Amino acid sequence: MTHHYREQIKNIANKYGNDRGYLMNIAQDIVKEFGYISDEMVAHVAEILNIPMVQVRDMVSFYSFLPRKPLGKNVIRLSNAVIERMKGADEVGKAFEKELGISFGETTKDNLFTLLHTACIGLSDQAPGALINNVPLTNLKPADVPQIIRDIKAGKNVSDLPQARVLLNLKKEGEVICAPLESGQAIRNALNMKPEEVIAEINKSRLRGRGGAGFPTAMKWDFCRKQKSPIRYLICNADEGEPGTFKDRVILTEYPDLVFEGMTIAGYAIGAKEGIMYLRGEYAYLLDNLEKVLAKRRHLGLLGENICGREGFSFDIRIQLGAGAYVCGEESALIESAEGKRGAPRDRPPFPVQKGYKNEPTSVNNVETLCCAARILEKGGEWFAKIGTKDSTGTKMLSVSGDCEHPGVYEVEYGITIENLLELVGAKDTQAVQVGGASGKCVAPKDFGRRISFEDLPTGGSIMIFGKNRDLLECMHQFIEFFIEESCGWCVPCRAGTTLLEKKFRQILDGKGTVQSLAELRRIAQTVKAMSRCGLGQTSANPVLTTIYDFADLYAERIKEEDGKLLTFDLQKAMKVGIEASGRTMEGVK
C-alpha cells in the first residue's frame, strides 16, 4: 500500500475518532474512496484502531457491499429476487451479459463495469430493478440495456438515466401513517406527560410491533425504561430486507418526519438520549434526504438539547447505513452490525432491552411501529384502538407485488381478508399468496377468507401474489436459495440444513424424487425449523412447510414414476409431521 493510501485511510479513521464502534462506517468510506477494501487496507485499519486484524477481516468479509477485490468503475447489481424474475429479470440479465461481453460475477477488461446479482432491493413493485453505483433503476427491459451502457460509457450520470426513477406507488392512504402531520405536535403532547404516562398511552392503544412478531410496544418500552442502567438507546430498524417488502421505502421517502417524531417520543419514554436509524445499504440513495430532514428538525428544536424548550430532555438521531445482509433485520444481529461487527445474531437472554447496543438497555422498533407511536401521542390511544381488530389495532402498510394490476403500497385496517385485498389490487386467477415474505406463509385459495392480523395471518408487510400460470414450487425453490445465500453460517442446522433442503427439493422438482424423498424433505425442513439458532434459520423451511400440505398435488405431480405408473402413498401419513411443524392440523385432509 502506498503512503498516499495509508494517509487517506488514517484520515478516514480519524473522522470517526478512531472509534472501533464505527468500523462499519470506516470500511464503507474506504470502499467509497478506493472501490474495495483489501487485506492490506484491513491490516492498516486494525493498526490504527489498535484491534486484532481478524476482527476487521471478520466484519468486512460478512457484507456483500464491502468488496475485497477491485470492481469495475460502474457496479451493476441486478436483483434476482422471486418477483423480479417473474417480471423478466433473467432476460434483462442476459441482455447485460451480451452487451458487456461478461457473465455475472465478472468485470469487463477495461474495468468499466462489474456485473453482479443481488437479493431484493425494495423495488418489487416496479421490477425488474437494479442498483448501478447505488442508484436505483426500475422497470428495466432487455431493450433498455444497450442504451444504458452507451450512456454510462459516454460519461452520463447514472442518476440522469430515464430508468433512474423510483415511483412512490402509494396506492391506498390510511388514517394512521398517511394522514397529514404537524411536526412536533406529538412530541409536545408527550412532553406534557410523564414518560410512564406516555408508555401507558401506548399501552392503551394496544400497539404491537409492525415487524411481524407483534410484541406489545408498551411492554418493550417499559422493560427498557425499568433497567437500572442510566444509559439507554433507541434503535429504528429500517433494514427491510424481507423479499417483496418495500413499504418502509415509501414511509422514509414520504413520511420521514413521522418516523423521527416517533423515535423522539420513544427516546423520551424509555429515557434514551441517542437514537440510531439502521438504514439498509440498498436504500443508500435515501440517505441524503433523511439527513436533511434531521438537520431541519434540529434547527426547529425538535432534536438536540432541550427539545421543544423542555429543560433536561435531550435526544438526537444518527443514521447507520448497512452494507447488504438480510440477517441484520433480526434485532440482535442489527445491534451487532451497528456496533461495527459482523451481523451475527446474539444468544438470548439477555434480550436487547436488558443488554443491547454497547451492552446497554436498548429498544429496537420497526419504522412503522414508531410512526404509529407518534400518531398515538397526537390523537390518543383510544382513537388508535378503535381501528382494526381487538388483538390487532390500527392499520398495516402492505407491500403488494407479483401477479396483480396495481402493485404498490396499501395502508389498510387490520382484519382485511386476503380475498378483499386481491380485489383491491386487481389480482385475478390467483394460485397462491405469499404472506410475510420468503419466511412467511404460502396461502391457498381455500384460505383466502383468512385475515391479515396477528391472530390469523401476521406479516411484516410483504404480500406476493402468484397467478395460476406460475410454477409455484420453482418460486419456493428460489426462496430456499435465498436463505442459503443469506445465512450467517454460525449454526449447522441453518448453514448445512438449508443446503440439504435445497438439494432434496431440487430432486423432487426435477422429477427424480420418490415418496421417500418427500418424507426426507419433510424431516429436513422440520429439523432446520426446530434446531436453528435464530429466526432466519427457523423460518427458512417455511417455503416447504407451508406448501407441503395445501399444495400437496404439486408435489405429487413431481414424484418419480415407476413402470409408467405414479407411485401411490398415504397422504395423511406423509404429511402429518410437516403439518404439525407448520402449526396446522390434519383437519380437512381425510
Side-chain angles (χ1 to χ4, degrees), residues 15-29:
K15 184 172 79 171
Y16 296 101
N18 296 323
D19 186 342
R20 186 254 180 273
Y22 287 90
L23 180 56
M24 170 86 85
N25 307 67
I26 293 168
Q28 288 170 329
D29 282 6

PDB file of all heavy atoms in Angstrom, residues 15-29:
ATOM      1  N   LYS A  15     -11.703  10.717  11.155  1.00  0.00           N
ATOM      2  CA  LYS A  15     -13.022  11.365  11.044  1.00  0.00           C
ATOM      3  C   LYS A  15     -14.016  10.767  12.041  1.00  0.00           C
ATOM      4  O   LYS A  15     -14.928  11.447  12.521  1.00  0.00           O
ATOM      5  CB  LYS A  15     -13.558  11.215   9.616  1.00  0.00           C
ATOM      6  CG  LYS A  15     -14.872  11.940   9.367  1.00  0.00           C
ATOM      7  CD  LYS A  15     -15.247  11.929   7.898  1.00  0.00           C
ATOM      8  CE  LYS A  15     -15.850  10.613   7.475  1.00  0.00           C
ATOM      9  NZ  LYS A  15     -16.426  10.652   6.103  1.00  0.00           N
ATOM     10  N   TYR A  16     -13.827   9.490  12.360  1.00  0.00           N
ATOM     11  CA  TYR A  16     -14.707   8.800  13.310  1.00  0.00           C
ATOM     12  C   TYR A  16     -14.048   8.626  14.679  1.00  0.00           C
ATOM     13  O   TYR A  16     -14.424   7.752  15.459  1.00  0.00           O
ATOM     14  CB  TYR A  16     -15.107   7.430  12.748  1.00  0.00           C
ATOM     15  CG  TYR A  16     -15.932   7.533  11.483  1.00  0.00           C
ATOM     16  CD1 TYR A  16     -15.349   7.335  10.228  1.00  0.00           C
ATOM     17  CD2 TYR A  16     -17.283   7.869  11.528  1.00  0.00           C
ATOM     18  CE1 TYR A  16     -16.091   7.451   9.060  1.00  0.00           C
ATOM     19  CE2 TYR A  16     -18.032   7.993  10.361  1.00  0.00           C
ATOM     20  CZ  TYR A  16     -17.426   7.775   9.137  1.00  0.00           C
ATOM     21  OH  TYR A  16     -18.170   7.890   7.983  1.00  0.00           O
ATOM     22  N   GLY A  17     -13.052   9.484  14.945  1.00  0.00           N
ATOM     23  CA  GLY A  17     -12.402   9.470  16.245  1.00  0.00           C
ATOM     24  C   GLY A  17     -11.637   8.194  16.532  1.00  0.00           C
ATOM     25  O   GLY A  17     -11.410   7.845  17.705  1.00  0.00           O
ATOM     26  N   ASN A  18     -11.247   7.475  15.473  1.00  0.00           N
ATOM     27  CA  ASN A  18     -10.542   6.196  15.622  1.00  0.00           C
ATOM     28  C   ASN A  18     -11.301   5.251  16.558  1.00  0.00           C
ATOM     29  O   ASN A  18     -10.707   4.486  17.323  1.00  0.00           O
ATOM     30  CB  ASN A  18      -9.112   6.407  16.140  1.00  0.00           C
ATOM     31  CG  ASN A  18      -8.263   7.197  15.157  1.00  0.00           C
ATOM     32  OD1 ASN A  18      -8.395   7.027  13.952  1.00  0.00           O
ATOM     33  ND2 ASN A  18      -7.406   8.063  15.669  1.00  0.00           N
ATOM     34  N   ASP A  19     -12.624   5.334  16.470  1.00  0.00           N
ATOM     35  CA  ASP A  19     -13.506   4.552  17.346  1.00  0.00           C
ATOM     36  C   ASP A  19     -13.844   3.226  16.672  1.00  0.00           C
ATOM     37  O   ASP A  19     -14.405   3.191  15.586  1.00  0.00           O
ATOM     38  CB  ASP A  19     -14.784   5.361  17.615  1.00  0.00           C
ATOM     39  CG  ASP A  19     -15.698   4.692  18.634  1.00  0.00           C
ATOM     40  OD1 ASP A  19     -15.550   3.488  18.898  1.00  0.00           O
ATOM     41  OD2 ASP A  19     -16.583   5.404  19.158  1.00  0.00           O
ATOM     42  N   ARG A  20     -13.529   2.130  17.337  1.00  0.00           N
ATOM     43  CA  ARG A  20     -13.791   0.807  16.809  1.00  0.00           C
ATOM     44  C   ARG A  20     -15.281   0.577  16.528  1.00  0.00           C
ATOM     45  O   ARG A  20     -15.667  -0.189  15.654  1.00  0.00           O
ATOM     46  CB  ARG A  20     -13.268  -0.236  17.795  1.00  0.00           C
ATOM     47  CG  ARG A  20     -13.357  -1.664  17.308  1.00  0.00           C
ATOM     48  CD  ARG A  20     -14.479  -2.443  18.016  1.00  0.00           C
ATOM     49  NE  ARG A  20     -14.530  -3.808  17.516  1.00  0.00           N
ATOM     50  CZ  ARG A  20     -15.229  -4.180  16.439  1.00  0.00           C
ATOM     51  NH1 ARG A  20     -15.899  -3.276  15.729  1.00  0.00           N
ATOM     52  NH2 ARG A  20     -15.262  -5.434  16.046  1.00  0.00           N
ATOM     53  N   GLY A  21     -16.140   1.286  17.280  1.00  0.00           N
ATOM     54  CA  GLY A  21     -17.575   1.149  17.101  1.00  0.00           C
ATOM     55  C   GLY A  21     -18.065   1.660  15.754  1.00  0.00           C
ATOM     56  O   GLY A  21     -19.179   1.357  15.334  1.00  0.00           O
ATOM     57  N   TYR A  22     -17.214   2.441  15.072  1.00  0.00           N
ATOM     58  CA  TYR A  22     -17.567   2.967  13.751  1.00  0.00           C
ATOM     59  C   TYR A  22     -16.822   2.224  12.637  1.00  0.00           C
ATOM     60  O   TYR A  22     -16.620   2.763  11.554  1.00  0.00           O
ATOM     61  CB  TYR A  22     -17.269   4.462  13.678  1.00  0.00           C
ATOM     62  CG  TYR A  22     -18.250   5.303  14.466  1.00  0.00           C
ATOM     63  CD1 TYR A  22     -18.022   5.611  15.796  1.00  0.00           C
ATOM     64  CD2 TYR A  22     -19.421   5.776  13.870  1.00  0.00           C
ATOM     65  CE1 TYR A  22     -18.932   6.373  16.526  1.00  0.00           C
ATOM     66  CE2 TYR A  22     -20.332   6.540  14.579  1.00  0.00           C
ATOM     67  CZ  TYR A  22     -20.083   6.828  15.919  1.00  0.00           C
ATOM     68  OH  TYR A  22     -20.986   7.576  16.633  1.00  0.00           O
ATOM     69  N   LEU A  23     -16.435   0.989  12.907  1.00  0.00           N
ATOM     70  CA  LEU A  23     -15.682   0.212  11.932  1.00  0.00           C
ATOM     71  C   LEU A  23     -16.454   0.056  10.617  1.00  0.00           C
ATOM     72  O   LEU A  23     -15.869   0.115   9.529  1.00  0.00           O
ATOM     73  CB  LEU A  23     -15.335  -1.168  12.508  1.00  0.00           C
ATOM     74  CG  LEU A  23     -14.553  -2.110  11.604  1.00  0.00           C
ATOM     75  CD1 LEU A  23     -13.256  -1.473  11.128  1.00  0.00           C
ATOM     76  CD2 LEU A  23     -14.266  -3.427  12.337  1.00  0.00           C
ATOM     77  N   MET A  24     -17.780  -0.152  10.718  1.00  0.00           N
ATOM     78  CA  MET A  24     -18.595  -0.265   9.506  1.00  0.00           C
ATOM     79  C   MET A  24     -18.476   1.002   8.667  1.00  0.00           C
ATOM     80  O   MET A  24     -18.258   0.945   7.443  1.00  0.00           O
ATOM     81  CB  MET A  24     -20.058  -0.510   9.870  1.00  0.00           C
ATOM     82  CG  MET A  24     -21.018  -0.408   8.701  1.00  0.00           C
ATOM     83  SD  MET A  24     -21.192  -1.909   7.784  1.00  0.00           S
ATOM     84  CE  MET A  24     -22.467  -2.701   8.783  1.00  0.00           C
ATOM     85  N   ASN A  25     -18.598   2.154   9.303  1.00  0.00           N
ATOM     86  CA  ASN A  25     -18.520   3.435   8.586  1.00  0.00           C
ATOM     87  C   ASN A  25     -17.149   3.636   7.964  1.00  0.00           C
ATOM     88  O   ASN A  25     -17.035   4.113   6.835  1.00  0.00           O
ATOM     89  CB  ASN A  25     -18.820   4.597   9.538  1.00  0.00           C
ATOM     90  CG  ASN A  25     -20.138   4.428  10.276  1.00  0.00           C
ATOM     91  OD1 ASN A  25     -20.284   3.531  11.101  1.00  0.00           O
ATOM     92  ND2 ASN A  25     -21.088   5.284   9.978  1.00  0.00           N
ATOM     93  N   ILE A  26     -16.117   3.266   8.703  1.00  0.00           N
ATOM     94  CA  ILE A  26     -14.746   3.411   8.191  1.00  0.00           C
ATOM     95  C   ILE A  26     -14.557   2.541   6.951  1.00  0.00           C
ATOM     96  O   ILE A  26     -14.015   2.997   5.935  1.00  0.00           O
ATOM     97  CB  ILE A  26     -13.723   3.024   9.290  1.00  0.00           C
ATOM     98  CG1 ILE A  26     -13.773   4.057  10.436  1.00  0.00           C
ATOM     99  CG2 ILE A  26     -12.316   2.929   8.720  1.00  0.00           C
ATOM    100  CD1 ILE A  26     -13.027   3.643  11.687  1.00  0.00           C
ATOM    101  N   ALA A  27     -15.028   1.287   7.033  1.00  0.00           N
ATOM    102  CA  ALA A  27     -14.908   0.373   5.899  1.00  0.00           C
ATOM    103  C   ALA A  27     -15.705   0.889   4.696  1.00  0.00           C
ATOM    104  O   ALA A  27     -15.239   0.815   3.547  1.00  0.00           O
ATOM    105  CB  ALA A  27     -15.382  -1.021   6.293  1.00  0.00           C
ATOM    106  N   GLN A  28     -16.896   1.416   4.957  1.00  0.00           N
ATOM    107  CA  GLN A  28     -17.723   1.946   3.857  1.00  0.00           C
ATOM    108  C   GLN A  28     -17.048   3.133   3.190  1.00  0.00           C
ATOM    109  O   GLN A  28     -17.083   3.270   1.957  1.00  0.00           O
ATOM    110  CB  GLN A  28     -19.108   2.339   4.393  1.00  0.00           C
ATOM    111  CG  GLN A  28     -19.992   1.141   4.738  1.00  0.00           C
ATOM    112  CD  GLN A  28     -21.248   1.552   5.486  1.00  0.00           C
ATOM    113  OE1 GLN A  28     -21.257   2.530   6.236  1.00  0.00           O
ATOM    114  NE2 GLN A  28     -22.318   0.800   5.299  1.00  0.00           N
ATOM    115  N   ASP A  29     -16.426   3.999   3.976  1.00  0.00           N
ATOM    116  CA  ASP A  29     -15.744   5.164   3.406  1.00  0.00           C
ATOM    117  C   ASP A  29     -14.513   4.743   2.598  1.00  0.00           C
ATOM    118  O   ASP A  29     -14.192   5.367   1.573  1.00  0.00           O
ATOM    119  CB  ASP A  29     -15.336   6.137   4.518  1.00  0.00           C
ATOM    120  CG  ASP A  29     -16.508   6.980   5.014  1.00  0.00           C
ATOM    121  OD1 ASP A  29     -17.648   6.722   4.571  1.00  0.00           O
ATOM    122  OD2 ASP A  29     -16.282   7.881   5.834  1.00  0.00           O
TER     123      ASP A  29
END
